[in-house]
Amino acid sequence: MTAAASAVHKANQNLLIFFSGLHYDSQLRPLFTSGGFRDTVDFNTSKFAYSNKVVLEVHDYDLDEKNCTNKRAKLTENSFGALGPNSDVIENVFPLVMSEWGFSQSPD
């Protein structure tokens, strides 16, 4: 993923580089926190020539969640935490786009 981003940046330094999440594009935590897949992939933006071009993209289709407080907590932990350092585990801060979302609209 970082090799492809480097190739894109080398070809055109004016482009934004989007990284999507894991688990159906809903989990971004490994990209902005210590831990996750960082044992095998060093995702430290300070090492990237394109660090100011990275944007994260997330989807959210948690159809079973009915509690807004719980929903907010899940989104902050899994994706929105990338927007700012509100915890000791946040290492990278990024712009974020939520490009798809949905929820159950059934009457029950």
Side-chain angles (χ1 to χ4, degrees), residues 25-85:
D25 203 18
S26 64
Q27 175 62 261
L28 296 169
R29 189 170 176 79
L31 299 178
F32 63 86
T33 62
S34 56
F37 57 70
R38 302 184 93 197
D39 293 339
T40 56
V41 176
D42 184 12
F43 200 84
N44 184 337
T45 57
S46 66
K47 296 180 180 179
F48 301 152
Y50 51 86
S51 63
N52 64 337
K53 300 292 184 177
V54 174
V55 178
L56 300 183
E57 186 238 359
V58 66
H59 298 171
D60 182 62
Y61 290 101
D62 190 357
L63 302 178
D64 296 326
E65 185 59 68
K66 306 247 187 272
N67 181 299
C68 290
T69 302
N70 292 345
K71 177 53 124 182
R72 182 183 309 150
K74 287 179 187 177
L75 286 171
T76 298
E77 180 179 338
N78 294 330
S79 54
F80 291 168
L83 294 171

